[in-house]
Amino acid sequence: MRARDNPFAVSRVLTIRSRLAGVTWNELLDRLAAFEFRAALVGPHGHGKTTLLEDLAPRLEDRGFRLRAATLRAGDRRLTAAQEETLFGDLTGRDLLLVDGAEQLGRLSWLSLRRKSRAAGGLVITSHRAGLLPTLHECRTTPELLEGIVRELLGSEAEGMPELWQRHRGNVRDALRELYDVWADRPVTAPAARTGSP
């Protein structure tokens, strides 16, 4: 199967957006305002923190914020010079900082981020652990969530999702990668021969 035809291709998976459980967008934004726009989206790998942060961004822009974002990867113990400039250059109260993967920062780098962000109108982070900032929302997946995503991508019912979810310990991203590999190995079937006159 060609990669672009795989129902679990990255381009298709990225069309699936956040599905809030137990809270509406207005409630989430009101809670963030109560935290003075300084809070964390918390949860394990592959449980939707980054997607939720991405979907939160335009709603924050609708509230008048200018967004500045940085993403940290495994092993990034400090912000790069370019990330520092992006986040803190000419910072004002209209700016809101979004930092994905804040738990990667070393202690001194985290304290520096907190200190430098005081001039901003807010700081929203994602983290695998609670405690860096007040928890805005805890991201947790369920087998039903995975099943709904797979059904949407396939356009049909999905079987075996509880087992797949369990095998990946709730990491939906890894579960979808496995499904991509399964579908990539499927033989390509030729279209049925047409019969009759043209």
Side-chain angles (χ1 to χ4, degrees):
M1 175 179 289
R2 295 177 302 181
R4 68 183 184 196
D5 295 330
N6 192 314
F8 300 99
V10 171
S11 60
R12 295 186 184 194
V13 169
L14 290 177
T15 66
I16 304 297
R17 304 317 304 162
S18 294
R19 294 156 191 229
L20 290 174
V23 64
T24 67
W25 279 110
N26 284 337
E27 290 169 340
L28 194 71
L29 288 162
D30 287 347
R31 185 182 303 168
L32 182 56
F35 288 143
E36 297 181 343
F37 295 96
R38 295 177 185 273
L41 304 172
V42 178
H45 280 292
H47 282 246
K49 299 181 302 299
T50 297
T51 303
L52 181 54
L53 187 66
E54 291 170 353
D55 289 352
L56 184 60
R59 292 167 169 88
L60 292 169
E61 287 178 319
D62 288 345
R63 292 204 171 194
F65 287 109
R66 291 183 309 193
L67 303 183
R68 299 174 177 226
T71 299
L72 296 157
R73 305 291 181 203
D76 291 346
R77 303 299 290 161
R78 63 179 57 88
L79 294 167
T80 65
Q83 288 172 323
E84 290 256 352
E85 179 59 30
T86 295
L87 291 176
F88 308 124
D90 300 320
L91 193 60
T92 74
R94 284 189 54 216
D95 298 306
L96 192 144
L97 311 183
L98 304 177
V99 179
D100 191 12
E103 80 285 344
Q104 298 298 328
L105 293 172
R107 183 174 182 277
L108 292 179
S109 294
W110 167 246
L111 292 175
S112 175
L113 171 61
R114 290 279 304 265
R115 179 177 51 80
K116 291 178 179 178
S117 72
R118 288 177 189 155
L123 171 64
V124 180
I125 66 169
T126 68
S127 178
H128 295 145
R129 65 179 187 273
L132 294 176
L133 289 174
T135 298
L136 174 62
H137 187 72
E138 186 172 352
C139 299
R140 294 282 177 182
T141 66
T142 64
E144 294 76 22
L145 173 68
L146 177 59
E147 185 172 354
I149 290 171
V150 171
R151 188 184 313 116
E152 186 172 334
L153 290 167
L154 288 177
S156 63
E157 292 300 315
E159 296 179 4
M161 293 305 103
E163 294 81 7
L164 181 65
W165 182 88
Q166 185 68 37
R167 186 161 60 250
H168 290 284
R169 296 183 175 92
N171 186 326
V172 168
R173 185 170 52 235
D174 284 352
L176 294 173
R177 284 181 184 144
E178 180 179 327
L179 289 171
Y180 176 89
D181 291 341
V182 168
W183 277 76
D185 290 338
R186 286 186 166 205
V188 178
T189 57
R194 289 170 47 173
T195 59
S197 57

